[in-house]
Amino acid sequence: MKALSELNDDIVRSMTVGAVFSDFGGKISSLDFHRTADLLITASEDDSVRLFDIANAKLLKTTYHKQHGADQVCFTHHPSSVICSSRHNIDTHEESLRYLSMYDNRCLRYFKGHKERVVSLCMSPVNDSFMSGSLDHSVRIWDLRVNACQGIMHLRGRPTVAYDQQGLVFAVAMEGGAIKLFDSRSYDKGPFDTFLVGGDTAEVCDIKFSNDGKSMLLMTTSNNIYILDAYCGEKRGGFSVDPSPNTTVEATFTPDGQYVLSGSGDGNLHAWNIKNRNKVASWDSYVGVASCVKWAPRRVMFAAASSVLTLWIPDYSKRPTDSGTAHPETAAHTEEIIQ
């Protein structure tokens, strides 16, 4: 398996669909790659949570959650355990978050507190803490080992949350483009820095740190993407994609932090080189407006999804297969990135 120290424009430009999974019964609302295992998890409007082996482009497990539904999902540190937010009956039961075992289809713990949908969810990369941001205008901090909420922040607007890759800092984005940074070990003391993204009054719908911790990516509901210096908040670049009414699109860093990929209202996927701010590639997404786009942490592979899931790999030009069948070369081309 070929290893790469970093990506370049030619490799990014060569990305193409290697596998398609089209048997979802609704829109895929979120997806996540495991940090160390070759696994992908999805949550869909059809109330399913699905686990995939990305090295072999294979569906491993499907579980259905008819009572609560499935909305936001992310891996814990264990490759068969995930956190999933509820889509249904939140106001009745307040069981807004569940800790699920995909191995035996069991709920290990409920987390009660949010009174409306969770729209942002992230796991600490270093311990059992995780955060959730909800339309009830609150951010809650949790521990997988206990049911009770460990901390709560009441904010204006729709909150979006993210940990940096070292787990030392977390960011909370809120109304008016304000980004507050907290020390994850002493968040009760308040933010140690606040950035303002001027000129865009739209709500921030996604925030991510680059793997090296030097950059932050912000996506707004007006489909503007901003790259900020994570230390001082200075804008390093900005990109725009076509509007996508009623659909929030996602943007993602590549693992080396040198490129940004995003869905768009025009049904295409776009990639930019952050350093020179040039657009490197545009592709037909094959899935319409891609609401979910993420690059795998250790592979030259990314996933894009709407009501169909696609896995993209380099240097393969034939048409994609369907029904969860990968091209024979898929595994060979899921090349590993050495960090």
Side-chain angles (χ1 to χ4, degrees):
M1 185 176 292
K2 184 180 177 183
L4 295 175
S5 58
E6 62 180 16
L7 296 170
N8 59 46
D9 288 3
D10 289 337
I11 294 171
V12 172
R13 201 173 287 120
S14 74
M15 300 297 286
T16 190
V17 177
V20 179
F21 299 87
S22 59
D23 61 340
F24 292 85
K27 180 182 171 184
I28 298 163
S29 50
S30 66
L31 57 82
D32 188 38
F33 288 99
H34 194 271
R35 291 174 63 86
T36 57
D38 285 325
L39 296 171
L40 170 71
I41 196 80
T42 64
S44 169
E45 290 178 350
D46 64 5
D47 301 329
S48 73
V49 176
R50 306 186 191 208
L51 181 67
F52 297 86
D53 170 357
I54 63 167
N56 299 293
K58 181 181 179 183
L59 174 64
L60 298 178
K61 188 77 175 280
T62 301
T63 62
Y64 285 95
H65 306 267
K66 296 298 183 183
Q67 180 179 356
H68 296 94
D71 198 354
Q72 300 298 307
V73 69
C74 70
F75 275 106
T76 64
H77 299 291
H78 194 284
S80 64
S81 298
V82 301
I83 307 162
C84 184
S85 70
S86 301
R87 187 182 294 274
H88 315 311
N89 301 318
I90 301 170
D91 54 346
T92 304
H93 303 290
E94 292 188 16
E95 294 171 348
S96 53
L97 292 160
R98 288 158 291 133
Y99 178 20
L100 305 176
S101 168
M102 294 298 292
Y103 175 74
D104 53 7
N105 191 20
R106 192 161 55 97
C107 182
L108 304 175
R109 184 164 282 117
Y110 289 99
F111 301 95
K112 297 184 179 182
H114 286 304
K115 293 177 171 57
E116 292 192 45
R117 278 184 53 224
V118 169
V119 291
S120 185
L121 184 64
C122 63
M123 183 80 202
S124 166
V126 295
N127 57 35
D128 287 327
S129 298
F130 69 97
M131 290 191 300
S132 55
S134 167
L135 294 177
D136 64 9
H137 310 301
S138 73
V139 167
R140 289 178 180 260
I141 300 170
W142 312 86
D143 189 307
L144 285 175
R145 298 165 292 184
V146 293
N147 298 75
C149 176
Q150 304 298 294
I152 183 170
M153 289 178 273
H154 295 285
L155 308 166
R156 302 187 312 274
R158 167 192 176 130
T160 306
V161 295
Y163 281 99
D164 78 336
Q165 296 300 315
Q166 289 73 43
L168 300 176
V169 172
F170 67 79
V172 178
M174 62 194 74
E175 188 178 72
I179 313 298
K180 294 184 181 293
L181 298 184
F182 296 80
D183 185 327
S184 59
R185 298 158 296 185
S186 55
Y187 55 82
D188 54 319
K189 296 180 180 178
F192 66 82
D193 208 347
T194 299
F195 304 151
L196 293 174
V197 183
D200 191 336
T201 58
E203 289 185 315
V204 176
C205 58
D206 192 20
I207 183 170
K208 292 182 174 77
F209 284 90
S210 60
N211 278 354
D212 61 12
K214 295 179 180 179
S215 302
M216 295 169 61
L217 179 157
L218 270 64
M219 185 88 184
T220 71
T221 51
S222 59
N223 284 6
N224 290 324
I225 304 163
Y226 299 102
I227 309 300
L228 306 183
D229 185 302
Y231 299 116
C232 65
E234 180 183 350
K235 282 186 188 178
R236 294 180 54 204
F239 313 102
S240 296
V241 294
D242 286 5
S244 51
N246 306 316
T247 300
T248 301
V249 298
E250 185 174 18
T252 183
F253 281 117
T254 53
D256 59 6
Q258 301 303 307
Y259 298 88
V260 168
L261 274 71
S262 174
S264 173
D266 62 4
N268 291 329
L269 300 169
H270 303 281
W272 297 269
N273 183 310
I274 296 173
K275 186 176 182 179
N276 59 32
R277 304 185 186 184
N278 290 336
K279 181 178 285 190
V280 175
S282 292
W283 310 275
D284 185 330
S285 72
Y286 295 101
V287 300
V289 178
S291 53
C292 301
V293 180
K294 279 195 173 74
W295 197 288
R298 300 183 305 114
R299 300 285 186 187
V300 185
M301 170 190 281
F302 69 85
S306 56
S307 57
V308 175
L309 171 66
T310 54
L311 299 179
W312 292 65
I313 57 173
D315 298 327
Y316 193 74
S317 58
K318 293 184 180 179
R319 296 180 64 185
T321 57
D322 204 345
S323 302
T325 303
H327 291 300
E329 290 86 348
T330 298
H333 283 284
T334 57
E335 302 161 2
E336 190 167 4
I337 296 179
I338 304 300
Q339 296 299 318

